[in-house]
Amino acid sequence: MVKRFEARQSAADVCVGGRSDMSLEGLRRTFREHVFYTQGRFPMGASRNDLYMALAYTVRDQLLHRWIRTVEQLGREDIKIVSYLSAEFLLGPHLENNLINLGLYEDVRRTAEEEGLDIQVLFDQEEEPGLGNGGLGRLAACYLDSLATLEIPAMGYGIRYEFGIFDQEIRDGWQVEHTDQWLRLGNPWEIARPEITYHVNFGGRTEPYEDEQGRYRVRWIPYRTVKGVAYDTPILGYRVNTCNLLRLWKAEAVESFEFEAFNVGDYYGAVDQKIYSENITKVLYPNDEPIQGKQLRLEQQYFFVSCSLQDMVRIYKLLGGDLSRFSSHFAIQLNDTHPAIGVAELMRLLVDENGMDWEPAWEVTCNTFGYTNHTLLPEALEKWPVDLFAGLFPRHMEIIYEINRRFLDEVRNRFPGDEDRVARMSLIDESGERYVRMAHLACVGSHAVNGVAELHTRLLKEEVLRDFYEMMPEKFNNKTNGVTPRRFVVLSNPGLSRLITGKIGETWVSRPEELRRLEKFVDDPAFREEWRRVKLENKKNLARLIRERTGIEVDPSSMFDIQVKRLHEYKRQHLNVLHIIALYNRIKQDPAYDVCPRTFIFGGKAAPGYFMAKRIIKLINSVADVVNHDSDVNGRLKVVFFPDFNVKNAKFIYPAADLSEQISTAGKEASGTGNMKFSMNGALTIGTLDGANVEIREEVGAENFFLFGLTAEDVTSLQKNGYQPMEYYRSNPELQAVIERISSGYFSNGDQELFSPLVDSLLFHDTFMLLADFGAYMDAQRQVEEAYRDQERWTRMSILNVARMGKFSSDRAIREYCKDIWKVEPVPVTLE
Ligand code: 8GP
């Protein structure tokens, strides 16, 4: 509990490091002032939230000076700004991160303590802005952190969803969704900018006209208009003065009352309009794949893209810039295809609104945009029915047709007579119902196209975007993902961070390649002992949290085997379950079976409409119920489904892992970033040759990684030759026994129907080839067990994993984007 703090003076009035412009006494005074003047409370009457808010404002005050100086820089004509356009930013809590980046963590912790406050309790009070689904949104947040840390002038642009990703409850083993209410108690980190607004149009028709010079022009006569209002959040870099801007747009009605409608008596029509407008930014679609045909989703995309591009054009014009040189001032990155309509919107702004001719406008557009692809699943490539698209954006539809006409001329020129290729590459899919292909629009309208891991980029070139690669190979490049070591090591794992810093100094935080210097301590038994002690502490912390959230007791000395990520068949959480059941069967057959004690921990949300994913959650919980209570098992195996996995509780999960499960079907996971977070915290990986696993294994060394399973090539050729899951089933008695356990109703109180959709899908389709990989997975798990039994060996492997993970810092990734795609340089910010 928070102790009520008393107003009392302290003699301490020392200057805080070199990083802060505030003394401890100053911090304390500001904090008290915010309790009183901002929250309107006397100290004794302040609630936990009041205290959190006051502390957040105190810290935000520390950012503002840097922020204003940085924004002034953004207003310089001679610099180039990165605009990161993303429908999702999964930021996680701000307070602790900002304290670390400011270098004020210790001072504020001590100040709080002196005021009688437990800072952890205040951290807990922060609601995380869950404005993303998973990997893609979290990557955007890591990239904002690195852009600021590397002193790159940058803006993030996105949507201020009123309701972010749902909160997950597990009830009776099933996922239950609750609406997220992150704004309920106020958001101290954002500053509303009601004077920065843009109009965004929808529907209607277009009309040709002649301009003053007699040129053919088109104007758009929309059916309805919505207003976008800017909300800004400061994003501070680590121990630098750069404090960039995340600008999120909220939709509002243009007039809160349609007076005309009101006057003619259509009160409800006027109210409907208002509600309709505000709906656009109401809620994040909780899907980690595109949603087919949902009009509101398409409206969201255009809404934020149009506001953002209008904002950039306004800023550029304010600087007196000539729009033909727009791309020398802005580099815009499309985070997947969600903002790809920006290609058509920038053309519209340049040609229709600013009178540019088509060719120079097209050159500006292509030089401005870069496109990052995040998926290989063909069903995940976004496309919109032409009717829906044209109905909402009649002018953009015309622009896309014109881009397509010119583009297909080029294709025909390059590949004469190859009409199949023309049909494949067209921006419009005409094979059945007509669709706008957003990935094609993004490829054609960008000067750079990248995948997010080496394997992913290769497969993009060979398969998904092969035609585009053949025609314009120079556009394609790889940018392997990275994650920020600030949030995912320094903030999440203070014990490990202290141990590392004690050995090699603290420069590794911004230069993680220096972690290599840990290698020379790998043979030092005392260091290894310390390493294990830190891990054990982290496991105890997680065990406490698990007890609190699930009531399950787990043994911190058992191996923590963890798989946290979105629930998806291709990620194969159910392969992990098959392994658990196999171990369980061995114990049932011989209770004296010498199993290595393990705690299997799962976490992750399923899209609310994804039937199989929800069934897998139920299966995990059902297996947990049986295994955790079986006296033959006697606590040696425990299974936990940790509810509501998010950035906030990820902080306790990654640092506590011994084993990281990265077991997707090869060729399906574009990169993965959880794999990096685990390994940076000293977990060893059991994984397939998929996504960035390939590169992680290369870096840490094959001998420090548990590899198994089919390669992407094996998967393709098996599929081509007619994959028969039954063959694997018939030839593996252990697998049969595992499946039999499930289908017999053993985990479902005799109900043989509950899991039959899962079992049938495995036996008769097995799209993700679990049965083909089962044997190899069991073997690899056996090796894991052997290695874990030798704790000295395991610790060596763990240390080497951490020492060799430097490559996977998002700083490295961002440096590559800056050099190869954006062509931007750091611009250090000075405070005077
Ligand atoms: C994810 C990929 O699945 C993952 O492999 C990769 O590491 C991550 O992006 C970052 O590159 N993709 C998504 O999260 C995704 O497509 N989300 C859609 C809901 C937007």
Side-chain angles (χ1 to χ4, degrees):
M1 266 306 287
V2 184
K3 279 191 253 149
R4 298 274 177 252
F5 75 95
E6 301 150 27
R8 82 188 124 89
Q9 292 290 317
S10 158
D13 191 5
V14 285
C15 226
V16 182
R19 285 288 139 214
S20 169
D21 40 353
M22 268 260 183
S23 64
L24 279 176
E25 186 46 39
L27 285 172
R28 186 176 298 118
R29 194 173 46 244
T30 311
F31 173 69
R32 289 175 183 171
E33 284 178 359
H34 279 301
V35 171
F36 186 75
Y37 291 108
T38 311
Q39 295 305 110
R41 299 279 193 206
F42 286 126
M44 293 308 286
S47 69
R48 186 181 299 186
N49 192 58
D50 290 325
L51 298 172
Y52 158 70
M53 294 288 273
L55 183 57
Y57 283 118
T58 306
V59 174
R60 195 183 81 176
D61 290 348
Q62 296 288 301
L63 304 184
L64 285 178
H65 196 187
R66 294 171 172 81
W67 192 17
I68 291 166
R69 292 292 294 160
T70 308
V71 172
E72 277 170 10
Q73 297 272 28
L74 298 182
R76 271 171 46 190
E77 211 258 327
D78 58 332
I79 60 151
K80 189 167 180 184
I81 302 171
V82 174
S83 281
Y84 200 82
L85 258 61
S86 179
E88 304 189 359
F89 287 93
L90 192 45
L91 297 166
H94 293 279
L95 177 57
E96 200 173 353
N97 201 247
N98 280 329
L99 285 176
I100 286 169
N101 286 4
L102 279 166
L104 279 182
Y105 189 98
E106 257 317 296
D107 292 315
V108 167
R109 193 191 60 72
R110 275 191 9 235
T111 309
E113 204 175 78
E114 284 167 23
E115 296 284 328
L117 302 171
D118 177 350
I119 198 161
Q120 291 301 331
V121 174
L122 299 188
F123 290 156
D124 277 355
Q125 182 63 28
E126 182 170 355
E127 289 264 358
E128 84 171 68
L131 308 186
N133 273 287
L136 170 145
R138 182 55 232 179
L139 186 79
C142 283
Y143 283 1
L144 291 185
D145 177 276
S146 285
L147 280 162
T149 297
L150 296 175
E151 305 180 293
I152 304 294
M155 305 210 19
Y157 279 110
I159 301 175
R160 185 180 178 274
Y161 300 104
E162 190 176 331
F163 302 105
I165 186 70
F166 62 84
D167 295 335
Q168 178 193 55
E169 186 201 347
I170 301 299
R171 200 186 292 161
D172 197 20
W174 296 96
Q175 167 175 301
V176 177
E177 300 94 18
H178 297 282
T179 40
D180 158 64
Q181 303 207 355
W182 70 292
L183 291 170
R184 188 176 37 138
L185 298 174
N187 174 10
W189 302 103
E190 68 183 4
I191 295 186
R193 300 286 187 203
E195 76 286 14
I196 302 182
T197 68
Y198 299 96
H199 283 181
V200 180
N201 297 325
F202 296 91
R205 59 190 172 82
T206 64
E207 188 177 79
Y209 71 100
E210 258 185 26
D211 68 10
E212 299 91 65
Q213 289 106 50
R215 294 179 306 175
Y216 173 86
R217 294 277 153 191
V218 180
R219 70 165 72 92
W220 176 13
I221 300 148
Y223 172 70
R224 112 190 127 82
T225 301
V226 170
K227 187 169 79 175
V229 183
Y231 283 73
D232 291 346
T233 302
I235 306 288
L236 178 68
Y238 178 74
R239 308 288 159 93
V240 291
N241 293 323
T242 300
C243 186
N244 283 326
L245 196 73
L246 171 61
R247 179 159 285 175
L248 301 179
W249 301 101
K250 174 177 192 268
E252 288 186 2
V254 173
E255 297 284 343
S256 52
F257 256 103
E258 277 278 345
F259 286 109
E260 225 173 291
F262 189 47
N263 289 340
V264 298
D266 185 12
Y267 187 87
Y268 289 105
V271 173
D272 283 351
Q273 272 304 313
K274 179 169 162 57
I275 291 171
Y276 200 99
S277 306
E278 290 173 0
N279 263 346
I280 292 184
T281 52
K282 212 31 107 191
V283 51
L284 166 77
Y285 280 97
N287 217 298
D288 53 354
E289 269 175 36
I291 310 99
Q292 294 296 333
K294 281 258 187 272
Q295 176 167 332
L296 185 59
R297 168 77 175 178
L298 184 56
E299 289 175 352
Q300 289 183 334
Q301 295 182 353
Y302 178 64
F303 167 77
F304 97 88
V305 167
S306 178
C307 289
S308 310
L309 286 171
Q310 289 186 63
D311 198 42
M312 287 176 242
V313 168
R314 177 193 59 106
I315 292 171
Y316 191 57
K317 282 178 158 178
L318 272 177
L319 297 175
D322 168 359
L323 283 174
S324 67
R325 299 196 63 252
F326 183 77
S327 63
S328 63
H329 195 64
F330 283 107
I332 306 180
Q333 195 65 21
L334 303 171
N335 196 25
D336 215 278
T337 54
H338 318 131
I341 195 172
V343 170
E345 174 68 354
L346 185 57
M347 283 301 285
R348 189 188 69 81
L349 291 171
L350 296 176
V351 174
D352 293 3
E353 306 274 319
N354 289 281
M356 260 172 104
D357 286 331
W358 184 278
E359 286 80 8
W362 182 242
E363 201 182 315
V364 168
T365 300
C366 294
N367 288 336
T368 303
F369 285 107
Y371 159 52
T372 305
N373 173 291
H374 293 268
T375 186
L376 284 164
L377 305 180
E379 69 273 21
L381 288 178
E382 210 181 9
K383 53 185 191 173
W384 292 101
V386 164
D387 290 345
L388 173 66
F389 199 97
L392 278 176
F393 311 117
R395 180 55 185 145
H396 297 80
M397 196 66 248
E398 291 173 358
I399 290 172
I400 288 171
Y401 282 142
E402 180 60 16
I403 294 172
N404 200 31
R405 187 186 66 75
R406 290 166 182 252
F407 171 63
L408 294 183
D409 277 353
E410 277 175 49
V411 177
R412 290 193 174 96
N413 257 331
R414 277 288 305 278
F415 305 95
D418 193 347
E419 283 304 304
D420 283 349
R421 182 185 296 265
V422 171
R424 287 197 310 267
M425 295 183 80
S426 172
L427 304 191
I428 311 296
D429 175 356
E430 304 195 83
S431 56
E433 190 194 348
R434 296 169 73 234
Y435 289 100
V436 184
R437 293 162 160 162
M438 302 310 276
H440 293 201
L441 177 62
C443 280
V444 175
S446 302
H447 66 283
V449 176
N450 73 281
V452 290
E454 276 166 17
L455 173 67
H456 171 226
T457 303
R458 177 164 71 75
L459 295 174
L460 278 182
K461 291 178 183 174
E462 287 173 4
E463 290 163 24
V464 186
L465 298 173
R466 179 182 176 158
D467 293 320
F468 290 88
Y469 177 62
E470 279 175 9
M471 186 163 156
M472 33 212 184
E474 69 290 347
K475 281 192 186 182
F476 284 73
N477 66 97
N478 176 57
K479 294 285 166 282
T480 298
N481 283 167
V483 302
T484 169
R486 269 76 63 185
R487 182 175 292 274
F488 290 104
V489 185
V490 179
L491 182 156
S492 303
N493 203 339
L496 188 68
S497 303
R498 265 194 301 275
L499 179 57
I500 295 173
T501 298
K503 283 289 177 196
I504 64 170
E506 65 178 350
T507 48
W508 62 273
V509 178
S510 32
R511 285 197 296 277
E513 57 284 0
E514 294 193 5
L515 288 168
R516 289 258 174 193
R517 287 167 38 213
L518 286 174
E519 286 193 32
K520 62 172 179 285
F521 302 104
V522 79
D523 290 321
D524 172 353
F527 182 63
R528 290 205 301 261
E529 185 64 42
E530 270 298 285
W531 193 269
R532 280 193 292 274
R533 195 191 51 74
V534 167
K535 180 63 78 181
L536 184 63
E537 262 326 290
N538 294 338
K539 289 164 75 175
K540 286 181 182 165
N541 288 338
L542 180 59
R544 258 194 301 276
L545 200 63
I546 288 174
R547 185 186 322 120
E548 206 176 290
R549 304 279 162 95
T550 68
I552 302 173
E553 286 288 342
V554 303
D555 175 5
S557 70
S558 65
M559 182 203 305
F560 277 19
D561 174 341
I562 310 190
Q563 187 171 20
V564 285
K565 48 181 78 241
R566 286 300 289 248
L567 256 292
H568 206 296
E569 287 164 282
Y570 86 76
K571 297 179 189 277
R572 302 200 294 192
Q573 282 91 352
H574 45 340
L575 179 59
N576 189 343
V577 177
L578 297 185
H579 170 240
I580 299 173
I581 299 173
L583 293 181
Y584 176 75
N585 281 349
R586 288 182 194 176
I587 293 174
K588 291 310 277 182
Q589 208 162 37
D590 170 16
Y593 175 73
D594 183 22
V595 71
C596 170
R598 277 205 215 202
T599 303
F600 297 90
I601 300 166
F602 294 84
K605 296 175 186 179
Y610 189 170
F611 174 87
M612 280 297 189
K614 291 183 129 176
R615 233 6 100 101
I616 293 172
I617 293 182
K618 176 65 177 167
L619 176 66
I620 294 169
N621 284 303
S622 302
V623 171
D625 271 350
V626 170
V627 170
N628 296 351
H629 298 111
D630 189 307
S631 55
D632 287 340
V633 177
N634 196 19
R636 288 175 294 168
L637 303 181
K638 281 278 169 78
V639 183
V640 174
F641 191 94
F642 190 99
D644 203 34
F645 176 60
N646 58 17
V647 181
K648 195 168 168 181
N649 52 46
K651 153 178 159 179
F652 298 98
I653 295 177
Y654 295 119
D658 293 306
L659 186 66
S660 153
E661 298 272 350
Q662 307 301 334
I663 58 178
S664 51
T665 318
K668 303 293 178 198
E669 188 71 272
S671 161
T673 45
N675 46 6
M676 302 168 187
K677 295 164 195 168
F678 276 113
S679 180
M680 277 184 183
N681 281 284
L684 305 189
T685 306
I686 183 166
T688 48
L689 281 179
D690 200 16
N693 293 355
V694 179
E695 291 157 75
I696 292 177
R697 179 167 169 269
E698 267 166 28
E699 289 292 304
V700 305
E703 67 287 4
N704 299 308
F705 187 106
F706 301 98
L707 179 72
F708 75 97
L710 303 171
T711 63
E713 283 68 34
D714 296 337
V715 168
T716 315
S717 74
L718 248 185
Q719 245 150 14
K720 227 184 275 156
N721 301 327
Y723 171 56
Q724 297 287 346
M726 265 302 175
E727 284 172 15
Y728 293 87
Y729 178 76
R730 290 208 189 92
S731 63
N732 187 333
E734 180 154 45
L735 175 59
Q736 286 169 27
V738 166
I739 298 280
E740 169 60 21
R741 267 285 180 220
I742 304 175
S743 52
S744 68
Y746 188 86
F747 298 113
S748 42
N749 301 313
D751 180 349
Q752 300 187 348
E753 300 296 304
L754 185 62
F755 299 121
S756 66
L758 268 174
V759 170
D760 292 352
S761 141
L762 288 181
L763 292 181
F764 304 115
H765 308 284
D766 196 19
T767 319
F768 298 105
M769 301 193 169
L770 281 78
L771 302 201
D773 271 344
F774 176 79
Y777 183 54
M778 290 298 297
D779 292 345
Q781 287 286 17
R782 157 72 76 187
Q783 289 165 29
V784 168
E785 205 174 302
E786 252 168 50
Y788 193 76
R789 286 176 196 271
D790 179 351
Q791 278 291 298
E792 293 300 334
R793 173 177 167 217
W794 186 274
T795 312
R796 286 176 60 95
M797 294 168 80
S798 168
I799 295 170
L800 291 177
N801 263 260
V802 173
R804 297 173 179 176
M805 281 299 288
K807 168 174 172 186
F808 302 97
S809 162
S810 43
D811 297 349
R812 185 272 313 151
I814 286 297
R815 275 195 201 97
E816 291 178 6
Y817 277 96
C818 288
K819 178 166 161 290
D820 303 341
I821 301 181
W822 302 329
K823 319 281 184 210
V824 295
E825 301 278 342
V827 181
V829 173
T830 50
L831 286 184
E832 292 324 312

